[in-house]
Amino acid sequence: MNLPSKSESLYRRAQAVLPGGVSRNAVLRAPYPIYASHGQGCRVTDIEGVERLDVANNMASLIHGHAFAPIVEAVTAQLRHGSAWNMATEVEVEYAEAMTKRVRGFDRIRFVNSGTEAVLCALKAARAYTGRPKIAKVEGAYHGVYDYAEVSQTATPTDWGAPDHPASVPVCSGTPRGVLDDVIVIPFNDPARAVALLDQHADRLACVLIDPLPHRVGMIPASDEFVNAMHAWARRNDSLIVFDEVITFRVGFAGAQERYRVRPDLTALGKIIGGGFPVGALAGRADVMDVLNPLRQPLLFPHSGTFSANPVTMTAGLKAMRHFDQPTVDRLNALGDRVRRQIAEAIAAEQLPLSVTGAGSLFRIHPTMPAPANYREAFHTPAQAALKQRIVDAALERGVLLIESCSGALSTPMTESDIDELTDVLADSFRAARPQSEPIGA
Ligand SMILES: Cc1ncc(COP(=O)(O)O)c(C=O)c1O
């Protein structure tokens, strides 16, 4: 008789107490989630004792991989002093100084507890500053689970509407109609259509929310034309530009925004700036950030959070960012170029209908050819979704943990030989995932 594995037994217990047996949908996989035991550097070991190359890095949040010694030491020392108080701390000031020095345009910063909260606060700050109710966002872009920010994130061909008028599709059942009416959905990298849509709500729009490398939209960089057009539109219409750099801050020393001529008014941050601990932050122009200033009367945006800027996260985050200096960013991004180039070569060699996109230390493999240019093109048919899943599963069996969308985020402990190992496994996984009956079409 086959005994259940440790993971299978744990999952049975979990199903009795957690909805669907999980606390976050991202870890769910058939037939049951993998339960982690420990990690070191760029390797993670599950509770069955299987070690894998970790290219998921907790959804791109671990820039230095696992158990990075400087963070472990600093956080351990901090824990001996305590983990949170009803008092401010020196380390939050030190970290705020480091971040405002690091990024031109980060005049002020407020630390919060997640990327969702950072986006939520950015949108509320934009509304408070402009006195306007509506926000615009890119079709299909993921920005966390705030009602307004998540609109259209799961739109499908049956409900996404015409290309020049994308529908405001709710994600969560019960989303109020008012939320949908106050979110203007714009197509990615399509300045003409986007501006035409924004113009229809010009005097009601608080901000345009843009992820400069939106994962679910295809992980293609926002074009200069698109960003410039959105920025110019916002300037003409007294609106604001908010960047969501929760994932993309890793792409440059000062985030993905450093490569554009224009800068956002506000930026939402998260993931890597927590050094492995829960985090978010909102940073930007001093006059806009002043809506959060409790010394100001009237206070336009009262905001608090029990664990905001807690010293454990601040200590870990400060260490993580100090060790993510310009040479380290450059080295990691060169590994990113290498991985994307080698994946493209493997795809060409296998002659499969796949493509690869990404930038910096991020990549995404698509079960489509050519690479998608926007959310609608990145949307999978059932056959494409099945091909993607076979690749993710084959890679897992061969010792590589990818993000379930068939994406990856590199970490600084990785070397060229880790990248070569990764791309060898991926090439082998492409072969294993090859469909039995061609073609992978519509
Ligand atoms: C671009 C982007 N924004 C916001 C979020 C939400 O961050 P969190 O999961 O920390 O709430 C995510 C999370 O994956 C994200 O990728």
PDB file of all heavy atoms in Angstrom, residues 292-328:
ATOM      1  N   LEU A 292      -0.573  62.786   3.452  1.00  0.00           N
ATOM      2  CA  LEU A 292      -0.472  61.853   4.589  1.00  0.00           C
ATOM      3  C   LEU A 292       0.061  62.520   5.851  1.00  0.00           C
ATOM      4  O   LEU A 292       0.157  61.877   6.899  1.00  0.00           O
ATOM      5  CB  LEU A 292       0.481  60.703   4.221  1.00  0.00           C
ATOM      6  CG  LEU A 292      -0.025  59.656   3.231  1.00  0.00           C
ATOM      7  CD1 LEU A 292       1.137  59.039   2.471  1.00  0.00           C
ATOM      8  CD2 LEU A 292      -0.808  58.569   3.959  1.00  0.00           C
ATOM      9  N   ASN A 293       0.442  63.776   5.738  1.00  0.00           N
ATOM     10  CA  ASN A 293       1.131  64.468   6.837  1.00  0.00           C
ATOM     11  C   ASN A 293       0.165  64.799   7.980  1.00  0.00           C
ATOM     12  O   ASN A 293      -0.695  65.662   7.836  1.00  0.00           O
ATOM     13  CB  ASN A 293       1.756  65.747   6.265  1.00  0.00           C
ATOM     14  CG  ASN A 293       2.419  66.592   7.323  1.00  0.00           C
ATOM     15  OD1 ASN A 293       2.363  66.289   8.510  1.00  0.00           O
ATOM     16  ND2 ASN A 293       3.051  67.676   6.897  1.00  0.00           N
ATOM     17  N   PRO A 294       0.308  64.127   9.113  1.00  0.00           N
ATOM     18  CA  PRO A 294      -0.658  64.321  10.199  1.00  0.00           C
ATOM     19  C   PRO A 294      -0.527  65.680  10.887  1.00  0.00           C
ATOM     20  O   PRO A 294      -1.383  66.038  11.700  1.00  0.00           O
ATOM     21  CB  PRO A 294      -0.338  63.181  11.174  1.00  0.00           C
ATOM     22  CG  PRO A 294       1.060  62.800  10.885  1.00  0.00           C
ATOM     23  CD  PRO A 294       1.331  63.125   9.440  1.00  0.00           C
ATOM     24  N   LEU A 295       0.530  66.439  10.526  1.00  0.00           N
ATOM     25  CA  LEU A 295       0.687  67.776  11.112  1.00  0.00           C
ATOM     26  C   LEU A 295      -0.100  68.812  10.312  1.00  0.00           C
ATOM     27  O   LEU A 295      -0.222  69.961  10.716  1.00  0.00           O
ATOM     28  CB  LEU A 295       2.166  68.183  11.127  1.00  0.00           C
ATOM     29  CG  LEU A 295       3.086  67.232  11.883  1.00  0.00           C
ATOM     30  CD1 LEU A 295       4.529  67.687  11.760  1.00  0.00           C
ATOM     31  CD2 LEU A 295       2.665  67.153  13.344  1.00  0.00           C
ATOM     32  N   ARG A 296      -0.574  68.370   9.164  1.00  0.00           N
ATOM     33  CA  ARG A 296      -1.243  69.301   8.263  1.00  0.00           C
ATOM     34  C   ARG A 296      -2.746  69.354   8.590  1.00  0.00           C
ATOM     35  O   ARG A 296      -3.371  68.327   8.851  1.00  0.00           O
ATOM     36  CB  ARG A 296      -1.008  68.785   6.841  1.00  0.00           C
ATOM     37  CG  ARG A 296      -1.747  69.510   5.782  1.00  0.00           C
ATOM     38  CD  ARG A 296      -1.528  68.798   4.453  1.00  0.00           C
ATOM     39  NE  ARG A 296      -2.647  69.128   3.590  1.00  0.00           N
ATOM     40  CZ  ARG A 296      -2.577  69.207   2.278  1.00  0.00           C
ATOM     41  NH1 ARG A 296      -1.456  68.929   1.662  1.00  0.00           N
ATOM     42  NH2 ARG A 296      -3.634  69.515   1.577  1.00  0.00           N
ATOM     43  N   GLN A 297      -3.291  70.548   8.544  1.00  0.00           N
ATOM     44  CA  GLN A 297      -4.727  70.716   8.787  1.00  0.00           C
ATOM     45  C   GLN A 297      -5.395  71.334   7.571  1.00  0.00           C
ATOM     46  O   GLN A 297      -4.914  72.382   7.107  1.00  0.00           O
ATOM     47  CB  GLN A 297      -4.971  71.589  10.021  1.00  0.00           C
ATOM     48  CG  GLN A 297      -4.715  70.882  11.348  1.00  0.00           C
ATOM     49  CD  GLN A 297      -5.487  69.584  11.517  1.00  0.00           C
ATOM     50  OE1 GLN A 297      -6.620  69.456  11.039  1.00  0.00           O
ATOM     51  NE2 GLN A 297      -4.865  68.602  12.155  1.00  0.00           N
ATOM     52  N   PRO A 298      -6.456  70.813   7.011  1.00  0.00           N
ATOM     53  CA  PRO A 298      -6.995  69.513   7.403  1.00  0.00           C
ATOM     54  C   PRO A 298      -6.115  68.382   6.861  1.00  0.00           C
ATOM     55  O   PRO A 298      -5.482  68.540   5.819  1.00  0.00           O
ATOM     56  CB  PRO A 298      -8.362  69.501   6.729  1.00  0.00           C
ATOM     57  CG  PRO A 298      -8.180  70.355   5.511  1.00  0.00           C
ATOM     58  CD  PRO A 298      -7.193  71.424   5.883  1.00  0.00           C
ATOM     59  N   LEU A 299      -6.106  67.271   7.584  1.00  0.00           N
ATOM     60  CA  LEU A 299      -5.367  66.090   7.135  1.00  0.00           C
ATOM     61  C   LEU A 299      -6.226  65.393   6.071  1.00  0.00           C
ATOM     62  O   LEU A 299      -7.343  64.960   6.354  1.00  0.00           O
ATOM     63  CB  LEU A 299      -5.096  65.168   8.328  1.00  0.00           C
ATOM     64  CG  LEU A 299      -4.525  63.791   8.010  1.00  0.00           C
ATOM     65  CD1 LEU A 299      -3.252  63.884   7.177  1.00  0.00           C
ATOM     66  CD2 LEU A 299      -4.259  63.025   9.303  1.00  0.00           C
ATOM     67  N   LEU A 300      -5.698  65.305   4.846  1.00  0.00           N
ATOM     68  CA  LEU A 300      -6.522  64.806   3.746  1.00  0.00           C
ATOM     69  C   LEU A 300      -6.604  63.278   3.699  1.00  0.00           C
ATOM     70  O   LEU A 300      -7.587  62.719   3.248  1.00  0.00           O
ATOM     71  CB  LEU A 300      -5.971  65.335   2.410  1.00  0.00           C
ATOM     72  CG  LEU A 300      -5.985  66.865   2.268  1.00  0.00           C
ATOM     73  CD1 LEU A 300      -5.408  67.270   0.920  1.00  0.00           C
ATOM     74  CD2 LEU A 300      -7.401  67.414   2.431  1.00  0.00           C
ATOM     75  N   PHE A 301      -5.553  62.618   4.164  1.00  0.00           N
ATOM     76  CA  PHE A 301      -5.529  61.148   4.079  1.00  0.00           C
ATOM     77  C   PHE A 301      -4.971  60.583   5.388  1.00  0.00           C
ATOM     78  O   PHE A 301      -3.786  60.318   5.496  1.00  0.00           O
ATOM     79  CB  PHE A 301      -4.678  60.726   2.878  1.00  0.00           C
ATOM     80  CG  PHE A 301      -4.488  59.223   2.692  1.00  0.00           C
ATOM     81  CD1 PHE A 301      -5.204  58.276   3.417  1.00  0.00           C
ATOM     82  CD2 PHE A 301      -3.579  58.759   1.756  1.00  0.00           C
ATOM     83  CE1 PHE A 301      -5.015  56.921   3.239  1.00  0.00           C
ATOM     84  CE2 PHE A 301      -3.366  57.391   1.558  1.00  0.00           C
ATOM     85  CZ  PHE A 301      -4.090  56.479   2.316  1.00  0.00           C
ATOM     86  N   PRO A 302      -5.840  60.405   6.387  1.00  0.00           N
ATOM     87  CA  PRO A 302      -5.370  59.800   7.641  1.00  0.00           C
ATOM     88  C   PRO A 302      -5.029  58.338   7.391  1.00  0.00           C
ATOM     89  O   PRO A 302      -5.829  57.614   6.804  1.00  0.00           O
ATOM     90  CB  PRO A 302      -6.587  59.913   8.576  1.00  0.00           C
ATOM     91  CG  PRO A 302      -7.553  60.809   7.876  1.00  0.00           C
ATOM     92  CD  PRO A 302      -7.270  60.715   6.410  1.00  0.00           C
ATOM     93  N   HIS A 303      -3.857  57.915   7.789  1.00  0.00           N
ATOM     94  CA  HIS A 303      -3.437  56.539   7.514  1.00  0.00           C
ATOM     95  C   HIS A 303      -2.569  56.006   8.649  1.00  0.00           C
ATOM     96  O   HIS A 303      -1.690  56.718   9.140  1.00  0.00           O
ATOM     97  CB  HIS A 303      -2.624  56.471   6.209  1.00  0.00           C
ATOM     98  CG  HIS A 303      -1.969  55.143   5.994  1.00  0.00           C
ATOM     99  ND1 HIS A 303      -0.653  54.908   6.356  1.00  0.00           N
ATOM    100  CD2 HIS A 303      -2.440  53.982   5.502  1.00  0.00           C
ATOM    101  CE1 HIS A 303      -0.348  53.644   6.073  1.00  0.00           C
ATOM    102  NE2 HIS A 303      -1.412  53.074   5.546  1.00  0.00           N
ATOM    103  N   SER A 304      -2.820  54.778   9.057  1.00  0.00           N
ATOM    104  CA  SER A 304      -1.971  54.163  10.074  1.00  0.00           C
ATOM    105  C   SER A 304      -1.869  52.670   9.802  1.00  0.00           C
ATOM    106  O   SER A 304      -2.522  52.177   8.882  1.00  0.00           O
ATOM    107  CB  SER A 304      -2.558  54.423  11.466  1.00  0.00           C
ATOM    108  OG  SER A 304      -1.509  54.584  12.377  1.00  0.00           O
ATOM    109  N   GLY A 305      -1.098  51.965  10.578  1.00  0.00           N
ATOM    110  CA  GLY A 305      -0.951  50.522  10.386  1.00  0.00           C
ATOM    111  C   GLY A 305      -0.134  49.961  11.527  1.00  0.00           C
ATOM    112  O   GLY A 305       0.987  50.417  11.761  1.00  0.00           O
ATOM    113  N   THR A 306      -0.692  48.985  12.229  1.00  0.00           N
ATOM    114  CA  THR A 306      -0.046  48.459  13.445  1.00  0.00           C
ATOM    115  C   THR A 306       1.397  48.036  13.188  1.00  0.00           C
ATOM    116  O   THR A 306       2.280  48.292  14.002  1.00  0.00           O
ATOM    117  CB  THR A 306      -0.864  47.266  13.987  1.00  0.00           C
ATOM    118  OG1 THR A 306      -2.199  47.714  14.221  1.00  0.00           O
ATOM    119  CG2 THR A 306      -0.268  46.712  15.272  1.00  0.00           C
ATOM    120  N   PHE A 307       1.623  47.377  12.069  1.00  0.00           N
ATOM    121  CA  PHE A 307       2.978  46.863  11.813  1.00  0.00           C
ATOM    122  C   PHE A 307       3.748  47.673  10.769  1.00  0.00           C
ATOM    123  O   PHE A 307       4.810  47.245  10.307  1.00  0.00           O
ATOM    124  CB  PHE A 307       2.911  45.386  11.419  1.00  0.00           C
ATOM    125  CG  PHE A 307       2.609  44.498  12.595  1.00  0.00           C
ATOM    126  CD1 PHE A 307       1.341  43.983  12.798  1.00  0.00           C
ATOM    127  CD2 PHE A 307       3.589  44.223  13.535  1.00  0.00           C
ATOM    128  CE1 PHE A 307       1.049  43.193  13.894  1.00  0.00           C
ATOM    129  CE2 PHE A 307       3.321  43.428  14.645  1.00  0.00           C
ATOM    130  CZ  PHE A 307       2.043  42.918  14.822  1.00  0.00           C
ATOM    131  N   SER A 308       3.208  48.843  10.398  1.00  0.00           N
ATOM    132  CA  SER A 308       3.914  49.663   9.407  1.00  0.00           C
ATOM    133  C   SER A 308       5.275  50.070   9.945  1.00  0.00           C
ATOM    134  O   SER A 308       5.386  50.520  11.094  1.00  0.00           O
ATOM    135  CB  SER A 308       3.101  50.922   9.094  1.00  0.00           C
ATOM    136  OG  SER A 308       1.961  50.578   8.356  1.00  0.00           O
ATOM    137  N   ALA A 309       6.296  49.930   9.116  1.00  0.00           N
ATOM    138  CA  ALA A 309       7.670  50.309   9.472  1.00  0.00           C
ATOM    139  C   ALA A 309       8.169  49.577  10.714  1.00  0.00           C
ATOM    140  O   ALA A 309       8.991  50.112  11.464  1.00  0.00           O
ATOM    141  CB  ALA A 309       7.787  51.825   9.665  1.00  0.00           C
ATOM    142  N   ASN A 310       7.687  48.351  10.925  1.00  0.00           N
ATOM    143  CA  ASN A 310       8.199  47.607  12.100  1.00  0.00           C
ATOM    144  C   ASN A 310       9.697  47.362  11.942  1.00  0.00           C
ATOM    145  O   ASN A 310      10.202  47.213  10.825  1.00  0.00           O
ATOM    146  CB  ASN A 310       7.414  46.305  12.315  1.00  0.00           C
ATOM    147  CG  ASN A 310       7.784  45.258  11.296  1.00  0.00           C
ATOM    148  OD1 ASN A 310       8.813  44.600  11.424  1.00  0.00           O
ATOM    149  ND2 ASN A 310       6.976  45.138  10.241  1.00  0.00           N
ATOM    150  N   PRO A 311      10.419  47.336  13.060  1.00  0.00           N
ATOM    151  CA  PRO A 311      11.881  47.328  12.963  1.00  0.00           C
ATOM    152  C   PRO A 311      12.479  46.060  12.353  1.00  0.00           C
ATOM    153  O   PRO A 311      13.594  46.098  11.836  1.00  0.00           O
ATOM    154  CB  PRO A 311      12.329  47.499  14.416  1.00  0.00           C
ATOM    155  CG  PRO A 311      11.153  47.123  15.246  1.00  0.00           C
ATOM    156  CD  PRO A 311       9.931  47.427  14.439  1.00  0.00           C
ATOM    157  N   VAL A 312      11.728  44.962  12.375  1.00  0.00           N
ATOM    158  CA  VAL A 312      12.271  43.736  11.763  1.00  0.00           C
ATOM    159  C   VAL A 312      12.314  43.915  10.241  1.00  0.00           C
ATOM    160  O   VAL A 312      13.347  43.695   9.598  1.00  0.00           O
ATOM    161  CB  VAL A 312      11.430  42.500  12.157  1.00  0.00           C
ATOM    162  CG1 VAL A 312      11.960  41.254  11.459  1.00  0.00           C
ATOM    163  CG2 VAL A 312      11.426  42.310  13.663  1.00  0.00           C
ATOM    164  N   THR A 313      11.184  44.340   9.694  1.00  0.00           N
ATOM    165  CA  THR A 313      11.144  44.575   8.240  1.00  0.00           C
ATOM    166  C   THR A 313      12.122  45.674   7.837  1.00  0.00           C
ATOM    167  O   THR A 313      12.826  45.552   6.822  1.00  0.00           O
ATOM    168  CB  THR A 313       9.713  44.958   7.813  1.00  0.00           C
ATOM    169  OG1 THR A 313       8.843  43.865   8.094  1.00  0.00           O
ATOM    170  CG2 THR A 313       9.644  45.284   6.340  1.00  0.00           C
ATOM    171  N   MET A 314      12.158  46.741   8.610  1.00  0.00           N
ATOM    172  CA  MET A 314      13.050  47.860   8.258  1.00  0.00           C
ATOM    173  C   MET A 314      14.515  47.411   8.261  1.00  0.00           C
ATOM    174  O   MET A 314      15.288  47.763   7.370  1.00  0.00           O
ATOM    175  CB  MET A 314      12.867  49.030   9.240  1.00  0.00           C
ATOM    176  CG  MET A 314      11.492  49.670   9.206  1.00  0.00           C
ATOM    177  SD  MET A 314      11.116  50.533   7.651  1.00  0.00           S
ATOM    178  CE  MET A 314      10.187  49.302   6.776  1.00  0.00           C
ATOM    179  N   THR A 315      14.887  46.622   9.262  1.00  0.00           N
ATOM    180  CA  THR A 315      16.270  46.133   9.366  1.00  0.00           C
ATOM    181  C   THR A 315      16.610  45.239   8.172  1.00  0.00           C
ATOM    182  O   THR A 315      17.665  45.393   7.532  1.00  0.00           O
ATOM    183  CB  THR A 315      16.443  45.345  10.685  1.00  0.00           C
ATOM    184  OG1 THR A 315      16.153  46.225  11.764  1.00  0.00           O
ATOM    185  CG2 THR A 315      17.836  44.772  10.832  1.00  0.00           C
ATOM    186  N   ALA A 316      15.687  44.317   7.871  1.00  0.00           N
ATOM    187  CA  ALA A 316      15.934  43.383   6.761  1.00  0.00           C
ATOM    188  C   ALA A 316      15.952  44.144   5.430  1.00  0.00           C
ATOM    189  O   ALA A 316      16.810  43.903   4.572  1.00  0.00           O
ATOM    190  CB  ALA A 316      14.856  42.309   6.737  1.00  0.00           C
ATOM    191  N   GLY A 317      15.002  45.047   5.260  1.00  0.00           N
ATOM    192  CA  GLY A 317      14.891  45.774   3.998  1.00  0.00           C
ATOM    193  C   GLY A 317      16.107  46.654   3.745  1.00  0.00           C
ATOM    194  O   GLY A 317      16.640  46.697   2.632  1.00  0.00           O
ATOM    195  N   LEU A 318      16.535  47.339   4.783  1.00  0.00           N
ATOM    196  CA  LEU A 318      17.711  48.222   4.642  1.00  0.00           C
ATOM    197  C   LEU A 318      18.939  47.406   4.232  1.00  0.00           C
ATOM    198  O   LEU A 318      19.692  47.785   3.328  1.00  0.00           O
ATOM    199  CB  LEU A 318      17.951  48.969   5.964  1.00  0.00           C
ATOM    200  CG  LEU A 318      19.126  49.930   6.012  1.00  0.00           C
ATOM    201  CD1 LEU A 318      19.023  51.010   4.948  1.00  0.00           C
ATOM    202  CD2 LEU A 318      19.221  50.585   7.400  1.00  0.00           C
ATOM    203  N   LYS A 319      19.120  46.254   4.887  1.00  0.00           N
ATOM    204  CA  LYS A 319      20.262  45.379   4.521  1.00  0.00           C
ATOM    205  C   LYS A 319      20.129  44.910   3.074  1.00  0.00           C
ATOM    206  O   LYS A 319      21.113  44.918   2.309  1.00  0.00           O
ATOM    207  CB  LYS A 319      20.285  44.136   5.422  1.00  0.00           C
ATOM    208  CG  LYS A 319      20.978  44.346   6.742  1.00  0.00           C
ATOM    209  CD  LYS A 319      22.490  44.287   6.594  1.00  0.00           C
ATOM    210  CE  LYS A 319      23.099  44.693   7.924  1.00  0.00           C
ATOM    211  NZ  LYS A 319      24.259  45.470   7.889  1.00  0.00           N
ATOM    212  N   ALA A 320      18.912  44.490   2.723  1.00  0.00           N
ATOM    213  CA  ALA A 320      18.709  43.961   1.364  1.00  0.00           C
ATOM    214  C   ALA A 320      19.059  45.021   0.323  1.00  0.00           C
ATOM    215  O   ALA A 320      19.758  44.740  -0.656  1.00  0.00           O
ATOM    216  CB  ALA A 320      17.266  43.502   1.179  1.00  0.00           C
ATOM    217  N   MET A 321      18.611  46.238   0.537  1.00  0.00           N
ATOM    218  CA  MET A 321      18.843  47.271  -0.469  1.00  0.00           C
ATOM    219  C   MET A 321      20.295  47.732  -0.461  1.00  0.00           C
ATOM    220  O   MET A 321      20.864  48.037  -1.507  1.00  0.00           O
ATOM    221  CB  MET A 321      17.870  48.438  -0.276  1.00  0.00           C
ATOM    222  CG  MET A 321      16.403  48.062  -0.469  1.00  0.00           C
ATOM    223  SD  MET A 321      16.062  46.946  -1.852  1.00  0.00           S
ATOM    224  CE  MET A 321      16.362  48.018  -3.216  1.00  0.00           C
ATOM    225  N   ARG A 322      20.920  47.799   0.713  1.00  0.00           N
ATOM    226  CA  ARG A 322      22.348  48.158   0.750  1.00  0.00           C
ATOM    227  C   ARG A 322      23.176  47.171  -0.070  1.00  0.00           C
ATOM    228  O   ARG A 322      24.140  47.553  -0.726  1.00  0.00           O
ATOM    229  CB  ARG A 322      22.847  48.145   2.211  1.00  0.00           C
ATOM    230  CG  ARG A 322      22.356  49.324   3.013  1.00  0.00           C
ATOM    231  CD  ARG A 322      23.524  50.206   3.483  1.00  0.00           C
ATOM    232  NE  ARG A 322      23.039  51.537   3.861  1.00  0.00           N
ATOM    233  CZ  ARG A 322      22.718  51.892   5.085  1.00  0.00           C
ATOM    234  NH1 ARG A 322      22.832  51.034   6.074  1.00  0.00           N
ATOM    235  NH2 ARG A 322      22.299  53.117   5.334  1.00  0.00           N
ATOM    236  N   HIS A 323      22.803  45.904   0.001  1.00  0.00           N
ATOM    237  CA  HIS A 323      23.561  44.884  -0.740  1.00  0.00           C
ATOM    238  C   HIS A 323      23.115  44.785  -2.198  1.00  0.00           C
ATOM    239  O   HIS A 323      23.674  44.014  -2.956  1.00  0.00           O
ATOM    240  CB  HIS A 323      23.429  43.519  -0.052  1.00  0.00           C
ATOM    241  CG  HIS A 323      24.279  43.404   1.173  1.00  0.00           C
ATOM    242  ND1 HIS A 323      25.549  42.891   1.156  1.00  0.00           N
ATOM    243  CD2 HIS A 323      24.052  43.788   2.451  1.00  0.00           C
ATOM    244  CE1 HIS A 323      26.067  42.941   2.373  1.00  0.00           C
ATOM    245  NE2 HIS A 323      25.178  43.481   3.182  1.00  0.00           N
ATOM    246  N   PHE A 324      22.090  45.549  -2.558  1.00  0.00           N
ATOM    247  CA  PHE A 324      21.655  45.578  -3.965  1.00  0.00           C
ATOM    248  C   PHE A 324      22.142  46.894  -4.559  1.00  0.00           C
ATOM    249  O   PHE A 324      21.373  47.771  -4.941  1.00  0.00           O
ATOM    250  CB  PHE A 324      20.131  45.436  -4.033  1.00  0.00           C
ATOM    251  CG  PHE A 324      19.603  45.035  -5.380  1.00  0.00           C
ATOM    252  CD1 PHE A 324      20.172  43.986  -6.099  1.00  0.00           C
ATOM    253  CD2 PHE A 324      18.517  45.689  -5.937  1.00  0.00           C
ATOM    254  CE1 PHE A 324      19.684  43.610  -7.338  1.00  0.00           C
ATOM    255  CE2 PHE A 324      18.007  45.320  -7.179  1.00  0.00           C
ATOM    256  CZ  PHE A 324      18.597  44.281  -7.880  1.00  0.00           C
ATOM    257  N   ASP A 325      23.461  47.009  -4.621  1.00  0.00           N
ATOM    258  CA  ASP A 325      24.070  48.246  -5.131  1.00  0.00           C
ATOM    259  C   ASP A 325      24.173  48.168  -6.661  1.00  0.00           C
ATOM    260  O   ASP A 325      23.838  47.142  -7.262  1.00  0.00           O
ATOM    261  CB  ASP A 325      25.437  48.490  -4.467  1.00  0.00           C
ATOM    262  CG  ASP A 325      26.361  47.295  -4.634  1.00  0.00           C
ATOM    263  OD1 ASP A 325      26.056  46.387  -5.430  1.00  0.00           O
ATOM    264  OD2 ASP A 325      27.400  47.244  -3.952  1.00  0.00           O
ATOM    265  N   GLN A 326      24.665  49.259  -7.262  1.00  0.00           N
ATOM    266  CA  GLN A 326      24.655  49.315  -8.739  1.00  0.00           C
ATOM    267  C   GLN A 326      25.400  48.143  -9.388  1.00  0.00           C
ATOM    268  O   GLN A 326      24.865  47.510 -10.311  1.00  0.00           O
ATOM    269  CB  GLN A 326      25.211  50.660  -9.218  1.00  0.00           C
ATOM    270  CG  GLN A 326      25.086  50.882 -10.715  1.00  0.00           C
ATOM    271  CD  GLN A 326      23.646  51.093 -11.168  1.00  0.00           C
ATOM    272  OE1 GLN A 326      23.008  52.065 -10.780  1.00  0.00           O
ATOM    273  NE2 GLN A 326      23.130  50.195 -11.998  1.00  0.00           N
ATOM    274  N   PRO A 327      26.633  47.805  -8.935  1.00  0.00           N
ATOM    275  CA  PRO A 327      27.303  46.665  -9.580  1.00  0.00           C
ATOM    276  C   PRO A 327      26.515  45.361  -9.441  1.00  0.00           C
ATOM    277  O   PRO A 327      26.488  44.539 -10.365  1.00  0.00           O
ATOM    278  CB  PRO A 327      28.650  46.569  -8.830  1.00  0.00           C
ATOM    279  CG  PRO A 327      28.852  47.919  -8.213  1.00  0.00           C
ATOM    280  CD  PRO A 327      27.497  48.476  -7.947  1.00  0.00           C
ATOM    281  N   THR A 328      25.849  45.191  -8.311  1.00  0.00           N
ATOM    282  CA  THR A 328      25.070  43.962  -8.110  1.00  0.00           C
ATOM    283  C   THR A 328      23.848  43.948  -9.026  1.00  0.00           C
ATOM    284  O   THR A 328      23.498  42.911  -9.609  1.00  0.00           O
ATOM    285  CB  THR A 328      24.635  43.845  -6.630  1.00  0.00           C
ATOM    286  OG1 THR A 328      25.790  44.020  -5.817  1.00  0.00           O
ATOM    287  CG2 THR A 328      24.004  42.507  -6.331  1.00  0.00           C
TER     288      THR A 328
END
